[in-house]
Amino acid sequence: MGLILKYNIRNLFVRRISTLMTLAGIGMVVGVFVVLMALAQGLATVGDVTGDPLQAIILQRGTNAETMSNVSDESADVVETIPSVPRDADGLPLVSRDLLVVLNLPRPDGGPPANVVARGVTDRAFSLHRDVVVDGGRRPRGSDIIVSRSLAKRFASMQVGDRLRFGRRDWNVVAHFDAGGAAWESEIWVDINELGVDFKRENSSSVLYVRLNRPEDLATINADLEANKDVAELKAMSLQAYFDAQTGGAQGLRFVGAFITLLLSVGAGLGAMNTMYAAIANRAREIGTLRALGFSRLLILGSFLFEATLIGLLGGLLGGLLALPVNGLQTGTLNWVTFAETAFRFHVTPGMLGAGLLIGGAVGAIGGFLPALAAARRPILAALRA
């Protein structure tokens, strides 16, 4: 058994050109698969990181995005008096009023502009959105704004000290912030009163954020909202559920990735099949010699199938290595719910690399099966005469 396996491995190097071409084809398939899965995982991770189970969002019924919701100051005042809304040590409600506006801003390289969310906040937002860490602890005041470090890399006039034009004035970028991969990394934070004045929304916010003592408090808050006719138009949902809905496109990307991989796998499998058929045609006498030495047809089948699978596994390994550099790469894509850009990082997991390796092995094995079967069924005399 060891002899025939050494024979198969040696032949990979003897016919290295055809082997390398097959490796490259399978590697491309696996590389595309891993990159698409990393993209989908990156989008899903935004929801997972942002989805604090002890945080709820209150927005207008009939809307599924913060940017389309509106909560009047009168309604917000009523919500803050609801007994089920938790309070801090000073007896103040753990509620943040956030106002969201979608801006169309230019890219630094002169490329087409894109939509970005400006979030109007109060100081309370920083105690609720605890993952936001601002350089120097600066907070938006007056015309001073803070910008996500992720956005600053992809849009113009967002470096500290720059003046960014939107609304009816120029705004001073005074600090950058990070949010550990959360959705806030796609935003500009502005003083809520100043943003409201510029966009004529002085007496309202978009949504309310509530800090819960326990996840079960969400049902009580919803019941209190429905029971009070002044705020019956509002609904509360967990932040986890909200961002799961926002990043639901990640599932579609996974489906697209699997479909594209399937199509490419057909081509790679045919390439592997062609390689193995050519290898067997050139090794007819060697196959006859192995059969004459007593190696069974089943063993010949297994040996050539092993050779094809090994090529596939090596191709899968190559594809995984080619895809690794995208891990952690930061970019953005349009959120089709908010119609603003969502920042995310490609996230390659060990599971994706393992799946890519299995795909490579499967493509090699399937592509090599018929040629291996043809080799095993070849009569000894016909093989020796070839």
Side-chain angles (χ1 to χ4, degrees), residues 207-220:
V207 294
L208 308 176
Y209 281 88
V210 181
R211 188 75 190 174
L212 306 176
N213 291 323
R214 52 180 189 162
E216 292 77 13
D217 292 342
L218 180 64
T220 308

Side-chain angles (χ1 to χ4, degrees), residues 107-143:
R107 301 280 189 182
D109 56 1
N115 289 344
V116 174
V117 168
R119 181 180 294 270
V121 297
T122 63
D123 283 346
R124 176 63 83 179
F126 292 87
S127 60
L128 267 76
H129 305 315
R130 298 176 180 178
D131 39 14
V132 174
V133 179
V134 188
D135 294 345
R138 298 291 297 269
R139 304 238 174 136
R141 293 280 188 275
S143 294

Side-chain angles (χ1 to χ4, degrees), residues 119-383:
R119 181 180 294 270
V121 297
T122 63
D123 283 346
R124 176 63 83 179
F126 292 87
S127 60
L128 267 76
H129 305 315
R130 298 176 180 178
D131 39 14
V132 174
V133 179
V134 188
D135 294 345
R138 298 291 297 269
R139 304 238 174 136
R141 293 280 188 275
S143 294
D144 292 345
I145 63 174
I146 60 175
V147 175
S148 153
R149 197 181 310 278
S150 172
L151 280 186
K153 295 175 182 177
R154 302 195 313 281
F155 287 88
S157 304
M158 288 193 182
Q159 299 306 313
V160 174
D162 287 350
R163 294 176 67 81
L164 181 63
R165 180 78 183 181
F166 63 84
R168 293 186 286 176
R169 67 177 110 169
D170 291 329
W171 304 79
N172 306 311
V173 180
V174 296
H176 289 154
F177 68 85
D178 293 297
W184 328 124
E185 291 193 347
S186 304
E187 299 176 349
I188 300 168
W189 281 24
V190 189
D191 182 285
I192 189 171
N193 295 319
E194 300 296 327
L195 190 66
V197 168
D198 260 33
F199 288 87
K200 298 181 180 180
R201 293 184 62 181
E202 297 97 323
N203 301 313
S204 68
S205 53
S206 299
V207 294
L208 308 176
Y209 281 88
V210 181
R211 188 75 190 174
L212 306 176
N213 291 323
R214 52 180 189 162
E216 292 77 13
D217 292 342
L218 180 64
T220 308
I221 291 174
N222 257 322
D224 288 345
L225 290 174
E226 291 176 8
N228 191 320
K229 61 181 176 58
D230 293 325
V231 288
E233 80 281 1
L234 303 180
K235 64 178 178 181
M237 60 191 302
S238 72
L239 205 58
Q240 207 163 28
Y242 175 78
F243 278 104
D244 280 348
Q246 293 289 300
T247 57
Q251 295 300 327
L253 278 174
R254 288 193 176 99
F255 174 79
V256 170
F259 181 70
I260 291 174
T261 301
L262 178 62
L263 293 181
L264 292 176
S265 295
V266 173
L270 291 173
M273 186 182 296
N274 184 59
T275 297
M276 293 306 297
Y277 268 127
I280 288 167
N282 292 327
R283 289 148 66 184
R285 287 189 180 182
E286 298 169 16
I287 294 168
T289 302
L290 290 172
R291 292 283 288 115
L293 290 174
F295 290 100
S296 66
R297 288 182 173 178
L298 184 60
L299 196 55
I300 297 294
L301 172 64
S303 73
F304 279 96
L305 201 55
F306 164 78
E307 186 176 323
T309 304
L310 182 59
I311 293 174
L313 289 172
L314 291 173
L317 180 61
L318 175 63
L321 292 174
L322 291 174
L324 268 181
V326 307
N327 187 42
L329 184 66
Q330 198 169 57
T331 185
T333 188
L334 180 65
N335 185 322
W336 289 98
V337 179
T338 64
F339 295 101
E341 183 164 297
T342 296
F344 68 96
R345 293 177 178 86
F346 284 83
H347 190 52
V348 178
T349 66
M352 291 175 196
L353 296 175
L357 202 61
L358 289 176
I359 289 171
V363 169
I366 294 170
F369 177 74
L370 290 178
L373 185 63
R377 297 175 65 178
R378 179 167 290 188
I380 298 176
L381 291 178

